[in-house]
Amino acid sequence: MSSRQTYDFVIAANRLPVDRHVHPDGSTEWRTAPGGLVTAMDSVMRGWDGDDAAWVGWPGFSGEAPEPFDEGKLRLHPVPLSAQELSDYYEGFSNDTLWPLYHDVIVPPTFHRSWWTCYRAVNQRFADAVCEVAAEGATVWVHDYQLQLVPALVRDKRPDVRIGWFNHIPFPPVELFAQLPWRESILRGLLGADFLGFQRPDDARNFARSCRTVLGATARGEKVEWQGTDDDRLGAAPRTVRAAAVPISIDAAGFRELADSDAVRERAEEIRESLGNPEVVLLGVDRLDYTKGIRHRLRAIGELFDDGAISPDQVTFIQVATPSRERVQAYRTLREQIEGTVGRINGDVSHLGATAIHYLHQSYPREEMAALYRVADVMLITPLRDGMNLVAKEYVTARHDGKGALVLSEFTGAAEEMPQAYRCNPHDIAGLKETILRAINDEPAEKERRMRALRRRVRKHDVQTWAADFLAGLEAAPERPSRSGAKAQA
Ligand code: ADP
Ligand code: G6P
């Protein structure tokens, strides 16, 4: 156990990197938490060569939180959520208000004042926990849409610390953001940071434009200047904040090594054999989320089977649909729709020994994910909107044999960095079908050329580069208030 009470580097994210699961017999187990945020930050912290650091986050279940504990050089500092807070702050405001609003309102966002009240209260709790563990002058790195008030709440209590915030999801255009009844408070909460990182330049520009339109702030290039108000603790003092794109990535070297291990190679062969050695394996890997375009993908695949353009004797599609946010209605509806469609397609076109679609609603160890990528001749990534999509980067890294093909939606952050993918617009089902067929049938040399360029990009811009760029941006941020100076302004 670490004897230190405060830390020079503090991460705050809604989730800790591990979730506690309770088995039916009452025994408990800590498992890696789901999603790209944890994948990325976990890799960053595993390679961390600085002093001990703390990670403040929710341990994945409601009720009393466990005592802080250590994982390597990382002190995990659990923040409790009651069952009501889980429902109002996490499932409600975070995932039924902000998530759909920030993803192009693919489903309509729900606005409830009681959810907002709870979001504020929980953000205050996270901010208090950060202030408790941050040493004098510490660097605090806040993550994602669940904690947008934390930067200003921390700054109010601890003007000595340096605060960065990174948005793992898109930031919407002001025309959508303006729907949010609490838009001003959210922006003021974020402007408590010194540096704000976004996935794409467009996200940073959307944020700056929202500050201009909603708050009347001055935004020039990456700089936002805001005079502040004194009606609450969210952004009372004048501030200059930099908002810039810092696209996230994966631990390319680590993932390549994993994908290249004997165990993963053998497992990949086993998987292919268990599928009956099809000529072509198509793969989709997504949290079961309406942003991921799984329904559009299934529509295209179903039609290709129906048209006879592909046959289950030669082609099989594996869809891994990771369980996610299962108590939110939009996610339940999506699951019913997807499972209905998979059943319909399999019923219509599969026959004994030739299954059109293998549907897997489960989480897997990383080795199994790497083996699945190695098996996939074509990876189908068709989100309607996605901040980045790390699966795309994992796939090209795992296929360092030069084989494989990546079909990638133009509505992902990854598409900006990966122009050599087979680009698609998932709303255009005819176009998507053509793109899938092209990715299957193109000459091996053409596929190899594309994959080589994609792999090179991910290797050069890996998660370590991302973290270094973010922290350099934070270090170089325009304003570093002295403890007394900032207090005087507030
Ligand atoms: P998101 O953050 O929206 O879930 P990303 O593609 O950015 O999407 O990141 C997803 C991460 O979760 C990847 O690292 C991927 O390997 C991992 N993942 C997705 N599905 C599973 C699964 N069923 N089992 C284990 N890991 C998964
Ligand atoms: C996305 C979000 C993360 C979130 C993850 C999993 O990657 O950006 O903040 O943790 O999805 O979602 P969950 O709701 O299970 O935490």
Side-chain angles (χ1 to χ4, degrees):
M1 268 277 171
S2 166
S3 57
R4 292 190 53 167
Q5 297 302 307
T6 60
Y7 297 81
D8 291 331
F9 187 62
V10 179
I11 297 165
N14 175 56
R15 281 186 186 278
L16 287 176
V18 285
D19 262 0
R20 198 177 75 173
H21 285 258
V22 181
H23 295 293
D25 65 0
S27 60
T28 59
E29 181 196 1
W30 289 95
R31 290 193 204 149
T32 305
L37 185 164
V38 164
T39 304
M41 281 311 289
D42 208 30
S43 310
V44 170
M45 294 319 292
R46 258 186 281 118
W48 184 246
D49 59 5
D51 289 337
D52 289 2
W55 183 320
V56 171
W58 172 58
F61 61 95
S62 64
E64 216 175 301
E67 285 301 309
F69 58 100
D70 289 344
E71 279 233 333
K73 291 182 104 178
L74 201 51
R75 177 76 157 172
L76 303 190
H77 196 96
V79 175
L81 291 183
S82 68
Q84 188 67 44
E85 287 166 346
L86 193 61
S87 163
D88 290 357
Y89 148 78
Y90 169 73
E91 289 160 351
F93 199 78
S94 296
N95 289 316
D96 208 8
T97 304
L98 295 174
W99 182 269
L101 185 67
Y102 283 32
H103 286 90
D104 288 0
V105 298
I106 296 165
V107 305
T110 308
F111 302 122
H112 281 311
R113 282 168 283 181
S114 57
W115 289 0
W116 165 245
T117 306
C118 188
Y119 182 84
R120 286 191 71 130
V122 171
N123 269 246
Q124 182 68 64
R125 188 174 308 147
F126 271 82
D128 291 345
V130 167
C131 293
E132 195 187 319
V133 298
E136 170 88 26
T139 295
V140 174
W141 189 351
V142 185
H143 291 262
D144 236 356
Y145 60 101
Q146 302 94 339
L147 302 182
Q148 292 177 95
L149 305 182
V150 168
L153 292 171
V154 170
R155 176 161 307 284
D156 179 63
K157 266 198 182 169
R158 291 291 304 277
D160 59 296
V161 299
R162 188 139 262 241
I163 306 168
W165 177 80
F166 183 78
N167 197 30
H168 292 253
I169 69 172
F171 197 90
V174 64
E175 290 77 8
L176 294 179
F177 181 72
Q179 288 182 14
L180 187 67
W182 308 281
R183 58 201 185 184
E184 286 181 34
S185 299
I186 292 285
L187 295 177
R188 279 153 48 200
L190 291 174
L191 287 173
D194 297 288
F195 178 60
L196 298 163
F198 295 87
Q199 300 281 26
R200 301 171 310 151
D202 273 351
D203 296 314
R205 277 194 287 269
N206 286 346
F207 171 77
R209 231 182 113 217
S210 289
C211 290
R212 229 175 13 230
T213 311
V214 174
L215 293 181
T218 310
R220 264 188 228 101
E222 293 180 341
K223 250 194 207 172
V224 178
E225 285 171 13
W226 155 237
Q227 286 312 304
T229 56
D230 53 9
D231 55 355
D232 62 21
R233 285 172 306 124
L234 293 172
R239 314 233 349 105
T240 301
V241 174
R242 195 173 144 234
V246 192
I248 200 169
S249 193
I250 62 160
D251 174 13
F255 204 74
R256 183 194 152 137
E257 198 182 316
L258 175 73
D260 213 18
S261 66
D262 289 344
V264 167
R265 282 165 180 270
E266 278 163 30
R267 177 66 191 140
E269 275 171 29
E270 229 174 76
I271 292 174
R272 198 160 194 116
E273 220 165 279
S274 72
L275 295 169
N277 286 315
E279 278 169 36
V280 179
V281 176
L282 311 176
L283 176 66
V285 171
D286 316 81
R287 270 184 314 99
L288 188 36
D289 195 300
Y290 48 79
T291 58
K292 301 289 183 182
I294 307 172
R295 285 193 308 131
H296 296 65
R297 188 183 313 161
L298 282 172
R299 175 105 189 262
I301 296 279
E303 287 190 17
L304 286 170
F305 278 122
D306 285 342
D307 301 346
I310 56 176
S311 146
D313 294 316
Q314 283 115 28
V315 180
T316 194
F317 173 42
I318 306 173
Q319 175 64 54
V320 178
T322 318
S324 189
R325 306 173 191 166
E326 295 192 293
R327 297 193 329 170
V328 179
Q329 188 53 47
Y331 289 74
R332 291 186 182 178
T333 307
L334 178 75
R335 184 173 174 191
E336 276 168 27
Q337 288 170 337
I338 285 177
E339 294 184 354
T341 307
V342 169
R344 202 274 303 154
I345 297 173
N346 271 338
D348 284 354
V349 303
S350 297
H351 48 262
L352 294 176
T355 304
I357 303 180
H358 294 264
Y359 172 78
L360 306 165
H361 183 244
Q362 290 163 50
S363 284
Y364 295 99
R366 295 195 65 64
E367 292 73 14
E368 186 73 358
M369 302 304 293
L372 281 164
Y373 294 142
R374 281 194 73 112
V375 170
D377 300 298
V378 179
M379 184 81 206
L380 300 178
I381 297 185
T382 59
L384 308 179
R385 179 59 71 196
D386 204 334
M388 174 52 63
N389 198 288
L390 293 183
V391 165
K393 296 186 171 183
E394 289 173 356
Y395 174 67
V396 300
T397 303
R399 294 307 318 244
H400 63 90
D401 54 359
K403 301 206 175 101
L406 173 66
V407 172
L408 183 61
S409 160
E410 59 194 66
F411 302 111
T412 58
E416 299 215 348
E417 291 177 72
M418 303 178 93
Q420 300 84 0
Y422 292 88
R423 280 171 82 90
C424 69
N425 168 5
H427 298 280
D428 170 11
I429 301 297
L432 179 55
K433 287 165 66 180
E434 275 172 32
T435 308
I436 295 173
L437 288 178
R438 235 180 102 203
I440 294 175
N441 295 321
D442 251 357
E443 288 302 318
E446 167 64 7
K447 294 188 199 179
E448 200 164 332
R449 184 188 67 77
R450 289 171 180 254
M451 288 295 276
R452 200 179 315 120
L454 292 169
R455 249 190 348 270
R456 194 179 317 123
R457 165 74 202 185
V458 179
R459 200 170 55 235
K460 279 199 176 153
H461 291 267
D462 63 2
V463 78
Q464 286 80 14
T465 318
W466 166 72
D469 287 352
F470 182 89
L471 293 173
L474 179 54
E475 190 50 39
E479 199 169 304
R480 173 166 247 170
S482 69
R483 198 177 180 110
S484 51
K487 265 294 170 206
Q489 287 171 337

